[in-house]
Amino acid sequence: MSTVTPFLKWAGGKRWLVQNYPELLPSKFKRFVEPFLGGGAVFFHMRPAKARLADLNSELIETYSAVRDDWKAVWTKLRAHQIEHLRDPETYYYKIRQSRLKSDFAKAARFIYLNRSCWNGLYRVNLRGEFNVPKGTKNSILLPDDDFPSVANRLADVELTASDFAETLANCGRGDFVFVDPPYTANHNWNGFLKYNERIFSWEDQLRLAESVEGAVSRGAAVLITNAAHASVRKLYESIGEIHTVTRYSVLASDSARRSRVEELAIIAGYQNSISQTKLL
């Protein structure tokens, strides 16, 4: 069974993790669970027979559900977005960003369109809950590696829920592999970590998450957590799991000269991994 490419580009996505550190993932489990779904790179890479995918972002979950239920309806509307976008990208992007749609499939196509045409796949809303990310530089809405039939097939028997991570983790136990990838920024690992991360995932949330992870592990779940490589996070998980430092190439900086390799944490709890220490250095 071939790997399916995620159809969403997600800020903080983990395509790099499955490409460079597949050994971190367990080989045997009964159910795959992900409480912070995002682009779903790990789910699509692992191809689990049984899965529960969750996220607090209800628009995201509704988009996955629409693609699963009728990918053709979503793709047809996405193709229409491509045609109109090429005529006047600037005007059309902000027109769609301000639009309010009723059909589940139209809303899903809008979500995918904005994800592919906004700046760096970022999802951000204002205090009124309105998507407010500016237009990006890319004009390709339909992509060469799009495979919506296979995406829909992978999602066919998946449980999709819009819920807080604590609710998802509370229902995990023996036989489950849980991939936990909370929102965080690694660009300020050593300078103002709390200040910058507080805006996207508060320290109180980090404490709740560690407690929820510990509970799932105590019930027999295998858990892999990714997080910022900061001393406070290391201390938070030192008694819960085995902490590794992994690296990735940062592509967020607008100036290529400022792009570099950054460190993040991969914390394994409830199972053994086969990754070599040499690769982690």
Side-chain angles (χ1 to χ4, degrees), residues 180 182 206 209-210 213 225 227 232-243 267:
V180 179
Q206 291 278 11
L209 178 59
V213 166
I225 310 103
N227 214 314
S232 57
V233 178
R234 288 180 180 274
K235 185 175 182 180
L236 191 59
Y237 285 95
E238 63 184 2
S239 64
I240 298 176
E242 180 182 302
I243 302 176
I267 304 148

Side-chain angles (χ1 to χ4, degrees), residues 120 248-262:
N120 208 51
R248 65 172 174 82
Y249 184 68
S250 174
V251 296
L252 286 179
S254 57
D255 181 358
S256 60
R258 296 173 56 199
R259 298 174 186 173
S260 61
R261 297 198 72 82
V262 297

Side-chain angles (χ1 to χ4, degrees), residues 48 60 190 199 250 262:
L60 175 69
W190 305 108
R199 302 173 186 174
S250 174
V262 297

Side-chain angles (χ1 to χ4, degrees), residues 10-11 57 59 93 97 111 114 118-119 121-127 129-135 199-200:
W10 208 253
N57 185 337
E59 285 188 272
Y93 175 82
R97 197 182 76 167
F111 190 97
L114 292 174
C118 76
W119 183 79
L122 183 66
Y123 184 88
R124 184 186 66 201
V125 296
N126 59 24
L127 294 176
E130 299 166 337
F131 184 80
N132 65 353
V133 180
K135 179 185 173 298
R199 302 173 186 174
I200 58 174

Side-chain angles (χ1 to χ4, degrees), residues 73-130:
V74 177
W75 184 84
T76 298
K77 294 182 183 300
L78 192 61
R79 181 176 59 179
H81 284 310
Q82 174 72 92
I83 295 171
E84 294 300 322
H85 180 88
L86 291 177
R87 290 173 178 167
D88 186 349
E90 192 77 14
T91 301
Y92 190 70
Y93 175 82
Y94 289 102
K95 174 185 175 182
I96 297 303
R97 197 182 76 167
Q98 296 172 358
S99 66
R100 297 293 178 269
L101 306 172
K102 294 183 178 180
S103 160
D104 291 343
F105 307 111
K107 288 191 290 186
R110 173 183 179 272
F111 190 97
I112 299 170
Y113 165 75
L114 292 174
N115 174 262
R116 293 181 174 185
S117 54
C118 76
W119 183 79
N120 208 51
L122 183 66
Y123 184 88
R124 184 186 66 201
V125 296
N126 59 24
L127 294 176
R128 294 187 297 274
E130 299 166 337

Side-chain angles (χ1 to χ4, degrees), residues 52-236:
R52 179 182 184 184
L53 305 177
D55 201 286
L56 194 58
N57 185 337
S58 59
E59 285 188 272
L60 175 69
I61 295 300
E62 289 165 2
T63 297
Y64 275 89
S65 297
V67 171
R68 177 192 62 190
D69 296 343
D70 192 342
W71 70 265
K72 289 182 181 179
V74 177
W75 184 84
T76 298
K77 294 182 183 300
L78 192 61
R79 181 176 59 179
H81 284 310
Q82 174 72 92
I83 295 171
E84 294 300 322
H85 180 88
L86 291 177
R87 290 173 178 167
D88 186 349
E90 192 77 14
T91 301
Y92 190 70
Y93 175 82
Y94 289 102
K95 174 185 175 182
I96 297 303
R97 197 182 76 167
Q98 296 172 358
S99 66
R100 297 293 178 269
L101 306 172
K102 294 183 178 180
S103 160
D104 291 343
F105 307 111
K107 288 191 290 186
R110 173 183 179 272
F111 190 97
I112 299 170
Y113 165 75
L114 292 174
N115 174 262
R116 293 181 174 185
S117 54
C118 76
W119 183 79
N120 208 51
L122 183 66
Y123 184 88
R124 184 186 66 201
V125 296
N126 59 24
L127 294 176
R128 294 187 297 274
E130 299 166 337
F131 184 80
N132 65 353
V133 180
K135 179 185 173 298
T137 58
K138 297 180 180 179
N139 293 317
S140 296
I141 308 305
L142 297 178
L143 306 178
D145 58 2
D146 277 341
D147 188 357
F148 285 101
S150 293
V151 169
N153 184 59
R154 282 294 156 78
L155 294 170
D157 298 317
V158 168
E159 180 184 0
L160 290 162
T161 60
S163 58
D164 180 73
F165 65 82
E167 179 183 341
T168 302
L169 283 162
N171 290 286
C172 294
R174 189 167 302 280
D176 290 332
F177 167 57
V178 192
F179 176 61
V180 179
D181 182 35
Y184 62 90
T185 175
N187 292 335
H188 303 280
N189 282 350
W190 305 108
N191 182 21
F193 169 77
L194 292 180
K195 172 185 175 183
Y196 285 97
N197 278 278
E198 190 72 19
R199 302 173 186 174
I200 58 174
F201 197 69
S202 71
W203 185 247
E204 184 62 34
D205 287 328
Q206 291 278 11
L207 295 174
R208 285 201 305 126
L209 178 59
E211 182 180 0
S212 296
V213 166
E214 190 170 26
V217 172
S218 71
R219 292 188 295 273
V223 185
L224 171 62
I225 310 103
T226 53
N227 214 314
H230 191 268
S232 57
V233 178
R234 288 180 180 274
K235 185 175 182 180
L236 191 59

